[in-house]
Amino acid sequence: MANASSGIVVDNDCKLKFLELESKRAHRFITFKIDDKLNMITVDKLSNPSQTYDDFTAALPETVCKYAVHDFDFVTEENCQKSKIIFIAWSPDTSKVCNKMLYANSKDRFRRELDGVQCGVQATDSSKIGIENIRDITR
């Protein structure tokens, strides 16, 4: 089903890979892109489970919008190990305005497709996805 406001369709592979991350922990993170030619959101990159948060932030380009999910591990104030799946709408200030608008118009519907996302962040630069900011949103 296409997104009513942007006309973008979500590729079924996006949901399948997300389920692998959520249920099997087969990936630490996944990045997604909008393929202009197909008018579809597709899987961009899959990580292996051993990759770090630094590997994730390095995978986000400086000038191109992306969506991403990250299986973020953290320790609570009660010293319990937990994880949350975070949705990141990466829209750098340096990307083209038309690209930012397309990603913004498709974001909410795409996030709803990924049932199991526990929190999210809209990021326009690396400070928004800094480790301390991510820890704050997982609390």
Side-chain angles (χ1 to χ4, degrees), residues 19-71:
L19 287 172
E20 289 176 5
L21 177 142
E22 181 185 34
S23 62
K24 299 177 185 172
R25 297 187 73 130
H27 316 287
R28 175 60 61 189
F29 64 85
I30 306 169
T31 61
F32 305 92
K33 66 180 179 179
I34 296 177
D35 186 319
D36 294 336
K37 291 182 181 95
L38 298 174
N39 229 19
M40 180 181 289
I41 299 172
T42 61
V43 172
D44 179 47
K45 288 183 185 175
L46 295 169
S47 72
N48 66 55
S50 65
Q51 288 189 282
T52 66
Y53 191 75
D54 287 339
D55 294 329
F56 166 66
T57 57
L60 296 174
E62 292 183 22
T63 60
V64 180
C65 297
K66 299 281 182 184
Y67 300 121
V69 290
H70 188 282
D71 186 7

